[in-house]
Amino acid sequence: MNASVSPADDAHLLRCWRIQNCKDCLKQVDCSWCPFSWTCVPNSNRVQLLAPAWDENVCPHWAERWEIRTRPLGCQVSTITTLTSFVTIASTLVFALLVTLTVFGIQRLRAYSDKSPGLWKAWANAWKDWWAKWQQQRYPMIHGNEDDVEAREQGGNEREPLLPS
């Protein structure tokens, strides 16, 4: 905390500190209300609502830092409530935008597939071939390779001994 306090800051503190209720506190310019300790505190930040982000000692008790009430929103709305609402609304808008873009993208792909229908068939066959090769490489004991398939078809299921006799 700053040990050298100017007389103007001291007067600002006394002007806010003497007020005992939220409504009267928020009527004062550059004052905010801390609800847990029931104190009116000086708040001269440019955006009073975001004062807890810049000043961790904005309220007397540490737990009420993000519960501060400021002038534009009144006594019933805290900083954390406002920020939560903003984040929720922004997330919802981003999600709606992504869904809209996905729907338009699918519509454009369908329109394109109507113009050139052979493209999807070629892609589907290429996908199946790639998947089969990947399965054989990944799980050779299950799928086997072409030599194993031919040996099974010719009846060569008998195993060779591990040790020579």
Side-chain angles (χ1 to χ4, degrees), residues 96 125 128 131 159:
N125 290 336
K128 288 177 186 175
W131 182 255
R159 296 185 181 178

Side-chain angles (χ1 to χ4, degrees), residues 9 17 20 22 52 79 84 89 93 99 116 129 139 161-162:
D9 289 340
W17 196 263
Q20 297 296 313
C22 180
T79 299
T84 303
I89 291 168
L93 291 174
V99 168
S116 56
D129 293 341
Y139 306 106
L162 293 175

Side-chain angles (χ1 to χ4, degrees), residues 57-125:
N57 296 321
V58 69
C59 285
H61 193 268
W62 65 269
E64 63 187 340
R65 173 181 174 185
W66 292 99
E67 290 292 332
I68 194 168
R69 292 354 186 214
T70 57
R71 192 169 199 194
L73 298 174
C75 294
Q76 303 303 319
V77 182
S78 68
T79 299
I80 196 70
T81 304
T82 305
L83 293 177
T84 303
S85 299
F86 286 158
V87 168
T88 302
I89 291 168
S91 299
T92 302
L93 291 174
V94 167
F95 180 73
L97 178 67
L98 289 175
V99 168
T100 304
L101 290 174
T102 302
V103 168
F104 283 134
I106 290 172
Q107 287 177 348
R108 290 194 66 166
L109 285 173
R110 283 186 177 175
Y112 186 71
S113 70
D114 289 342
K115 290 179 184 177
S116 56
L119 175 69
W120 295 107
K121 290 178 184 175
W123 182 79
N125 290 336

Side-chain angles (χ1 to χ4, degrees), residues 12 16 30-32 41-45 47-49 51 58 68 70:
H12 187 198
C16 294
D30 291 342
C31 290
S32 295
V41 294
N43 183 358
S44 56
N45 289 302
V47 181
Q48 289 185 352
L49 183 67
V58 69
I68 194 168
T70 57

